[in-house]
Amino acid sequence: MQTKRTIFSNRVLPYVLLAPQLAITLIFFIWPAFQAFRQSFLREDPFGMKTTFVWFSNYTRLFENADYLNALWVTLIFAVSVTALSMSLSLLFAVCVNRVLRSGRFYTTLLVWPYAVAPAAAGLLWWFMFNPSIGILPYGLRYFGYDWNYRLHEGDAMVLIVVASAWKQISYNFLFFVAGLQSVPQSVIEAAAIDGAGPFKRFWTVIFPLLSPTTFFLAVINITYALFDTFPIVDSTTSGGPSQSTNTLVYKVYADGFVGLNLGPSAAQSVVLMLIVVALTVVQFRWIENKVQY
Amino acid sequence: MVENRPYLNFLTHLILIIGAATVVFPVYLAFIASTHGASDFMSGLVPMLPGDQLASNFSQLLNVGNSVAGAPPFALMLANSLLMAILIAVGKIAISIISAFAIVYFRFPLRLVAFWIIFLTLMLPVEVRILPTYKVVADLGMLNSYPGLVIPLIASATATFLFRQFFLTIPEELMEAARVDGAGAMKFFRDILLPLSRTNIAALFIILFIYGWNQYLWPMLITTDPQYYTAVMGIKRLASVLDGDTQWNLVMAGVILATLPPVLVIIVMQRLFVKGLVETEK
């Protein structure tokens, strides 16, 4: 790994400088992760009197558990919907902002601030709009003969958390798409225009392929966001219901472990989640290496 | 633009106006709700225009809180949030910049190991190790305390990487010149590296301040004493009363108050924020 050509020669100082970061990492990250790993192979009786080593039993039970399989499925639908909805809207807005020259900054300001809204607040904002008794959207939907109620209809609850999560993520995707669009060379676009390609054809055959690194990067980031950062949205709106239709993996770890105090199975769920994060991180860093090469 | 197409220009503005309106609308509605009295929601439909209860709603929430929901005065929660966000941002920057300095400007045994341990924190967000982390904090006696709210969150791989990347772009000659002039490691760090990192520190501060302010799960886990509640977790408490009794005006006033500070930071420092965001995450 890279250092400077000339370096300071002090034997103790670098360790002192690293000590705070390493201490916090070891105490609050590595050690708890190790504990979760260890616990996932143990089973404790309800009174905490006796602990037995059960090999992979917690894991096999997990993947035989209908609730867990349901949570996997729910998380998959949720993550794909949030990513697709948020990224397509952001790309549309970014392309538009990139077209208007003078008012671009004005629209950008209007579009970026949701980045700062806490996920819990975003959840409550949409929860208010979607509330069956006083919300404005159910009121509108009743005109079309649809009885909206996220507390009863599983599909409605999923739509609520997808919309709230996608809304919050639009600003992030938008900024990266704008940055990506600005790095597309103007000469390539002009060349395509001279060859007779109209704006839509230029977008799909020239600009969109050149954006693919940004798109791929954002897809990974959005999936990570949908999997892990949306816990407050679920917790502040549906709490996993109705009948577990919005019980995502992260929410389930919390509900089983912290509320239900089911140590072994909850630890096994944590380990599965860690493996997912590791996989996503590796994919993300591969992307960065590829980007650096050209 | 390559060519001028009035029809397409019109469509572009139309999409942006509809888009911006959709993005702003939920907050507009929340603001409207926070200006009405509790009884205005009985009719079953949210009012669309501002009411006259703005001052009384906000002053009740800030000074008294909501006794029905068991929430303390909101001013206290805002102060806690501010303290927590600033301490997290400063803490993350402080420990990351010295770690990056050690990794770039020194060669020592176990340097790679240290780098990888820091890197691992990326893979272990709070959400995936809730219970054991809670247990560690409980064993250290840090439940219901400011150190408990802050310290477990201030390790930062991304900030360390950002500073490392930046230090690697600083010309070698600067350090050689400093050494010729007889400056030691810490003097070089204080008088040359820190001033050069100013913009990076400011951009990072914005991102990390928002990160700290918006923490939800962690404060919810480790605080049971209302004295340590933060604004973002507090609004959930305002909202979680039996549905019939929800005081929409107060809940939405809470949402506005908890949202306003970070949003203002972004709007006022938009350029620095965009720079910080695009550079931290690459």
mmCIF file of all heavy atoms in Angstrom, chain B residues 20-54:
data_model
loop_
_atom_site.group_PDB
_atom_site.id
_atom_site.type_symbol
_atom_site.label_atom_id
_atom_site.label_comp_id
_atom_site.label_asym_id
_atom_site.label_seq_id
_atom_site.Cartn_x
_atom_site.Cartn_y
_atom_site.Cartn_z
ATOM 1 N N ALA B 20 -40.300 18.944 -8.741
ATOM 2 C CA ALA B 20 -39.962 19.727 -7.551
ATOM 3 C C ALA B 20 -41.187 19.871 -6.653
ATOM 4 O O ALA B 20 -41.087 19.767 -5.425
ATOM 5 C CB ALA B 20 -39.430 21.095 -7.959
ATOM 6 N N ALA B 21 -42.362 20.057 -7.268
ATOM 7 C CA ALA B 21 -43.577 20.202 -6.465
ATOM 8 C C ALA B 21 -43.870 18.917 -5.701
ATOM 9 O O ALA B 21 -44.214 18.955 -4.512
ATOM 10 C CB ALA B 21 -44.754 20.556 -7.373
ATOM 11 N N THR B 22 -43.694 17.769 -6.360
ATOM 12 C CA THR B 22 -43.929 16.492 -5.683
ATOM 13 C C THR B 22 -42.960 16.317 -4.519
ATOM 14 O O THR B 22 -43.334 15.827 -3.454
ATOM 15 C CB THR B 22 -43.745 15.322 -6.672
ATOM 16 O OG1 THR B 22 -44.397 15.663 -7.881
ATOM 17 C CG2 THR B 22 -44.316 14.049 -6.114
ATOM 18 N N VAL B 23 -41.713 16.714 -4.736
ATOM 19 C CA VAL B 23 -40.717 16.550 -3.682
ATOM 20 C C VAL B 23 -41.029 17.471 -2.494
ATOM 21 O O VAL B 23 -40.886 17.078 -1.340
ATOM 22 C CB VAL B 23 -39.297 16.822 -4.243
ATOM 23 C CG1 VAL B 23 -38.282 16.954 -3.129
ATOM 24 C CG2 VAL B 23 -38.887 15.697 -5.177
ATOM 25 N N VAL B 24 -41.508 18.673 -2.785
ATOM 26 C CA VAL B 24 -41.749 19.636 -1.710
ATOM 27 C C VAL B 24 -43.087 19.393 -1.009
ATOM 28 O O VAL B 24 -43.243 19.677 0.178
ATOM 29 C CB VAL B 24 -41.680 21.081 -2.279
ATOM 30 C CG1 VAL B 24 -42.091 22.097 -1.234
ATOM 31 C CG2 VAL B 24 -40.289 21.384 -2.790
ATOM 32 N N PHE B 25 -44.064 18.838 -1.755
ATOM 33 C CA PHE B 25 -45.418 18.745 -1.240
ATOM 34 C C PHE B 25 -45.578 18.120 0.159
ATOM 35 O O PHE B 25 -46.261 18.696 1.008
ATOM 36 C CB PHE B 25 -46.312 18.005 -2.249
ATOM 37 C CG PHE B 25 -47.763 18.005 -1.876
ATOM 38 C CD1 PHE B 25 -48.475 19.188 -1.856
ATOM 39 C CD2 PHE B 25 -48.410 16.828 -1.514
ATOM 40 C CE1 PHE B 25 -49.814 19.205 -1.494
ATOM 41 C CE2 PHE B 25 -49.740 16.838 -1.147
ATOM 42 C CZ PHE B 25 -50.444 18.035 -1.146
ATOM 43 N N PRO B 26 -44.954 16.958 0.455
ATOM 44 C CA PRO B 26 -45.151 16.380 1.787
ATOM 45 C C PRO B 26 -44.761 17.334 2.911
ATOM 46 O O PRO B 26 -45.435 17.387 3.948
ATOM 47 C CB PRO B 26 -44.233 15.155 1.787
ATOM 48 C CG PRO B 26 -44.013 14.828 0.370
ATOM 49 C CD PRO B 26 -44.092 16.118 -0.389
ATOM 50 N N VAL B 27 -43.694 18.104 2.695
ATOM 51 C CA VAL B 27 -43.253 19.013 3.754
ATOM 52 C C VAL B 27 -44.194 20.219 3.851
ATOM 53 O O VAL B 27 -44.496 20.703 4.944
ATOM 54 C CB VAL B 27 -41.797 19.458 3.515
ATOM 55 C CG1 VAL B 27 -41.377 20.481 4.549
ATOM 56 C CG2 VAL B 27 -40.887 18.258 3.588
ATOM 57 N N TYR B 28 -44.689 20.654 2.692
ATOM 58 C CA TYR B 28 -45.675 21.738 2.699
ATOM 59 C C TYR B 28 -46.886 21.322 3.525
ATOM 60 O O TYR B 28 -47.344 22.052 4.409
ATOM 61 C CB TYR B 28 -46.104 22.073 1.267
ATOM 62 C CG TYR B 28 -47.285 23.021 1.202
ATOM 63 C CD1 TYR B 28 -47.124 24.385 1.449
ATOM 64 C CD2 TYR B 28 -48.558 22.542 0.920
ATOM 65 C CE1 TYR B 28 -48.198 25.245 1.404
ATOM 66 C CE2 TYR B 28 -49.648 23.398 0.887
ATOM 67 C CZ TYR B 28 -49.470 24.754 1.127
ATOM 68 O OH TYR B 28 -50.531 25.614 1.103
ATOM 69 N N LEU B 29 -47.366 20.125 3.276
ATOM 70 C CA LEU B 29 -48.550 19.633 3.978
ATOM 71 C C LEU B 29 -48.286 19.526 5.477
ATOM 72 O O LEU B 29 -49.141 19.872 6.303
ATOM 73 C CB LEU B 29 -48.919 18.262 3.413
ATOM 74 C CG LEU B 29 -50.391 17.894 3.473
ATOM 75 C CD1 LEU B 29 -51.202 18.861 2.645
ATOM 76 C CD2 LEU B 29 -50.583 16.475 2.968
ATOM 77 N N ALA B 30 -47.075 19.079 5.843
ATOM 78 C CA ALA B 30 -46.730 18.959 7.248
ATOM 79 C C ALA B 30 -46.717 20.336 7.897
ATOM 80 O O ALA B 30 -47.195 20.518 9.024
ATOM 81 C CB ALA B 30 -45.358 18.294 7.396
ATOM 82 N N PHE B 31 -46.179 21.300 7.161
ATOM 83 C CA PHE B 31 -46.144 22.658 7.701
ATOM 84 C C PHE B 31 -47.563 23.189 7.916
ATOM 85 O O PHE B 31 -47.870 23.749 8.967
ATOM 86 C CB PHE B 31 -45.368 23.580 6.757
ATOM 87 C CG PHE B 31 -45.423 25.024 7.172
ATOM 88 C CD1 PHE B 31 -44.713 25.462 8.285
ATOM 89 C CD2 PHE B 31 -46.207 25.927 6.481
ATOM 90 C CE1 PHE B 31 -44.790 26.782 8.689
ATOM 91 C CE2 PHE B 31 -46.288 27.251 6.875
ATOM 92 C CZ PHE B 31 -45.578 27.682 7.985
ATOM 93 N N ILE B 32 -48.436 22.975 6.928
ATOM 94 C CA ILE B 32 -49.831 23.403 7.055
ATOM 95 C C ILE B 32 -50.457 22.761 8.287
ATOM 96 O O ILE B 32 -51.106 23.424 9.105
ATOM 97 C CB ILE B 32 -50.638 23.010 5.793
ATOM 98 C CG1 ILE B 32 -50.127 23.759 4.584
ATOM 99 C CG2 ILE B 32 -52.120 23.284 5.987
ATOM 100 C CD1 ILE B 32 -50.211 25.247 4.694
ATOM 101 N N ALA B 33 -50.241 21.454 8.445
ATOM 102 C CA ALA B 33 -50.830 20.747 9.579
ATOM 103 C C ALA B 33 -50.344 21.342 10.891
ATOM 104 O O ALA B 33 -51.101 21.408 11.871
ATOM 105 C CB ALA B 33 -50.488 19.262 9.505
ATOM 106 N N SER B 34 -49.093 21.802 10.909
ATOM 107 C CA SER B 34 -48.542 22.308 12.167
ATOM 108 C C SER B 34 -49.068 23.697 12.510
ATOM 109 O O SER B 34 -48.755 24.226 13.576
ATOM 110 C CB SER B 34 -47.011 22.330 12.090
ATOM 111 O OG SER B 34 -46.586 23.392 11.260
ATOM 112 N N THR B 35 -49.835 24.306 11.608
ATOM 113 C CA THR B 35 -50.372 25.641 11.907
ATOM 114 C C THR B 35 -51.830 25.601 12.333
ATOM 115 O O THR B 35 -52.459 26.643 12.477
ATOM 116 C CB THR B 35 -50.265 26.567 10.677
ATOM 117 O OG1 THR B 35 -51.061 26.002 9.633
ATOM 118 C CG2 THR B 35 -48.837 26.721 10.210
ATOM 119 N N HIS B 36 -52.385 24.407 12.489
ATOM 120 C CA HIS B 36 -53.797 24.301 12.861
ATOM 121 C C HIS B 36 -53.957 23.809 14.289
ATOM 122 O O HIS B 36 -53.047 23.244 14.866
ATOM 123 C CB HIS B 36 -54.514 23.345 11.900
ATOM 124 C CG HIS B 36 -54.798 23.981 10.575
ATOM 125 N ND1 HIS B 36 -55.947 24.683 10.311
ATOM 126 C CD2 HIS B 36 -54.065 24.029 9.446
ATOM 127 C CE1 HIS B 36 -55.908 25.135 9.069
ATOM 128 N NE2 HIS B 36 -54.769 24.760 8.520
ATOM 129 N N GLY B 37 -55.152 24.006 14.824
ATOM 130 C CA GLY B 37 -55.472 23.471 16.135
ATOM 131 C C GLY B 37 -55.853 22.009 16.006
ATOM 132 O O GLY B 37 -56.176 21.533 14.917
ATOM 133 N N ALA B 38 -55.787 21.277 17.126
ATOM 134 C CA ALA B 38 -56.036 19.835 17.092
ATOM 135 C C ALA B 38 -57.423 19.514 16.542
ATOM 136 O O ALA B 38 -57.624 18.495 15.884
ATOM 137 C CB ALA B 38 -55.871 19.248 18.481
ATOM 138 N N SER B 39 -58.405 20.386 16.785
ATOM 139 C CA SER B 39 -59.779 20.068 16.396
ATOM 140 C C SER B 39 -59.996 20.181 14.888
ATOM 141 O O SER B 39 -60.971 19.657 14.363
ATOM 142 C CB SER B 39 -60.749 20.986 17.126
ATOM 143 O OG SER B 39 -60.376 22.325 16.873
ATOM 144 N N ASP B 40 -59.088 20.872 14.194
ATOM 145 C CA ASP B 40 -59.268 21.039 12.754
ATOM 146 C C ASP B 40 -59.122 19.735 11.980
ATOM 147 O O ASP B 40 -59.398 19.676 10.783
ATOM 148 C CB ASP B 40 -58.246 22.052 12.196
ATOM 149 C CG ASP B 40 -58.538 23.457 12.697
ATOM 150 O OD1 ASP B 40 -59.479 23.595 13.500
ATOM 151 O OD2 ASP B 40 -57.827 24.389 12.291
ATOM 152 N N PHE B 41 -58.657 18.678 12.649
ATOM 153 C CA PHE B 41 -58.466 17.420 11.937
ATOM 154 C C PHE B 41 -59.638 16.480 12.117
ATOM 155 O O PHE B 41 -59.679 15.403 11.563
ATOM 156 C CB PHE B 41 -57.172 16.746 12.420
ATOM 157 C CG PHE B 41 -55.966 17.573 12.128
ATOM 158 C CD1 PHE B 41 -55.503 18.482 13.064
ATOM 159 C CD2 PHE B 41 -55.315 17.464 10.918
ATOM 160 C CE1 PHE B 41 -54.404 19.266 12.786
ATOM 161 C CE2 PHE B 41 -54.207 18.249 10.643
ATOM 162 C CZ PHE B 41 -53.750 19.163 11.582
ATOM 163 N N MET B 42 -60.630 16.919 12.944
ATOM 164 C CA MET B 42 -61.771 16.051 13.250
ATOM 165 C C MET B 42 -62.622 15.810 12.008
ATOM 166 O O MET B 42 -63.229 14.781 11.848
ATOM 167 C CB MET B 42 -62.653 16.687 14.330
ATOM 168 C CG MET B 42 -61.958 16.875 15.652
ATOM 169 S SD MET B 42 -61.477 15.296 16.357
ATOM 170 C CE MET B 42 -60.828 15.813 17.925
ATOM 171 N N SER B 43 -62.668 16.795 11.111
ATOM 172 C CA SER B 43 -63.565 16.702 9.963
ATOM 173 C C SER B 43 -63.166 15.565 9.018
ATOM 174 O O SER B 43 -63.931 15.203 8.138
ATOM 175 C CB SER B 43 -63.550 18.021 9.192
ATOM 176 O OG SER B 43 -62.281 18.210 8.621
ATOM 177 N N GLY B 44 -61.993 15.020 9.200
ATOM 178 C CA GLY B 44 -61.597 13.894 8.363
ATOM 179 C C GLY B 44 -60.806 14.289 7.142
ATOM 180 O O GLY B 44 -60.450 13.462 6.325
ATOM 181 N N LEU B 45 -60.513 15.564 6.972
ATOM 182 C CA LEU B 45 -59.653 15.946 5.856
ATOM 183 C C LEU B 45 -58.658 16.998 6.301
ATOM 184 O O LEU B 45 -58.973 17.892 7.089
ATOM 185 C CB LEU B 45 -60.489 16.483 4.694
ATOM 186 C CG LEU B 45 -59.640 16.809 3.460
ATOM 187 C CD1 LEU B 45 -58.982 15.567 2.908
ATOM 188 C CD2 LEU B 45 -60.463 17.491 2.399
ATOM 189 N N VAL B 46 -57.445 16.849 5.765
ATOM 190 C CA VAL B 46 -56.392 17.796 6.116
ATOM 191 C C VAL B 46 -56.658 19.137 5.453
ATOM 192 O O VAL B 46 -56.982 19.194 4.277
ATOM 193 C CB VAL B 46 -55.044 17.270 5.625
ATOM 194 C CG1 VAL B 46 -53.924 18.116 6.170
ATOM 195 C CG2 VAL B 46 -54.875 15.830 5.999
ATOM 196 N N PRO B 47 -56.559 20.231 6.203
ATOM 197 C CA PRO B 47 -56.679 21.551 5.575
ATOM 198 C C PRO B 47 -55.513 21.786 4.616
ATOM 199 O O PRO B 47 -54.427 21.243 4.814
ATOM 200 C CB PRO B 47 -56.604 22.515 6.761
ATOM 201 C CG PRO B 47 -56.456 21.698 7.983
ATOM 202 C CD PRO B 47 -56.270 20.282 7.626
ATOM 203 N N MET B 48 -55.742 22.585 3.595
ATOM 204 C CA MET B 48 -54.693 22.832 2.606
ATOM 205 C C MET B 48 -54.052 24.213 2.748
ATOM 206 O O MET B 48 -53.063 24.513 2.104
ATOM 207 C CB MET B 48 -55.254 22.702 1.190
ATOM 208 C CG MET B 48 -55.607 21.285 0.786
ATOM 209 S SD MET B 48 -54.183 20.186 0.788
ATOM 210 C CE MET B 48 -53.299 20.854 -0.588
ATOM 211 N N LEU B 49 -54.666 25.069 3.555
ATOM 212 C CA LEU B 49 -54.112 26.415 3.720
ATOM 213 C C LEU B 49 -53.734 26.631 5.194
ATOM 214 O O LEU B 49 -54.323 26.018 6.084
ATOM 215 C CB LEU B 49 -55.141 27.465 3.289
ATOM 216 C CG LEU B 49 -55.430 27.471 1.784
ATOM 217 C CD1 LEU B 49 -56.608 28.360 1.464
ATOM 218 C CD2 LEU B 49 -54.189 27.908 1.006
ATOM 219 N N PRO B 50 -52.753 27.490 5.437
ATOM 220 C CA PRO B 50 -52.266 27.690 6.811
ATOM 221 C C PRO B 50 -53.370 28.131 7.769
ATOM 222 O O PRO B 50 -54.266 28.875 7.388
ATOM 223 C CB PRO B 50 -51.229 28.800 6.654
ATOM 224 C CG PRO B 50 -50.879 28.834 5.227
ATOM 225 C CD PRO B 50 -52.041 28.309 4.462
ATOM 226 N N GLY B 51 -53.280 27.666 9.003
ATOM 227 C CA GLY B 51 -54.198 28.104 10.049
ATOM 228 C C GLY B 51 -53.534 29.175 10.896
ATOM 229 O O GLY B 51 -52.508 29.730 10.518
ATOM 230 N N ASP B 52 -54.082 29.426 12.086
ATOM 231 C CA ASP B 52 -53.562 30.523 12.895
ATOM 232 C C ASP B 52 -52.914 30.034 14.190
ATOM 233 O O ASP B 52 -52.660 30.810 15.091
ATOM 234 C CB ASP B 52 -54.689 31.509 13.212
ATOM 235 C CG ASP B 52 -55.882 30.799 13.831
ATOM 236 O OD1 ASP B 52 -55.795 29.555 13.992
ATOM 237 O OD2 ASP B 52 -56.881 31.463 14.146
ATOM 238 N N GLN B 53 -52.665 28.722 14.279
ATOM 239 C CA GLN B 53 -52.152 28.175 15.546
ATOM 240 C C GLN B 53 -50.646 27.930 15.518
ATOM 241 O O GLN B 53 -50.135 27.226 16.376
ATOM 242 C CB GLN B 53 -52.860 26.849 15.856
ATOM 243 C CG GLN B 53 -54.360 26.970 15.976
ATOM 244 C CD GLN B 53 -54.743 27.759 17.197
ATOM 245 O OE1 GLN B 53 -54.230 27.516 18.280
ATOM 246 N NE2 GLN B 53 -55.631 28.736 17.032
ATOM 247 N N LEU B 54 -49.966 28.494 14.518
ATOM 248 C CA LEU B 54 -48.533 28.229 14.359
ATOM 249 C C LEU B 54 -47.763 28.476 15.650
ATOM 250 O O LEU B 54 -47.095 27.591 16.182
ATOM 251 C CB LEU B 54 -47.978 29.116 13.243
ATOM 252 C CG LEU B 54 -46.479 29.005 13.001
ATOM 253 C CD1 LEU B 54 -46.172 27.827 12.103
ATOM 254 C CD2 LEU B 54 -45.917 30.272 12.387
#
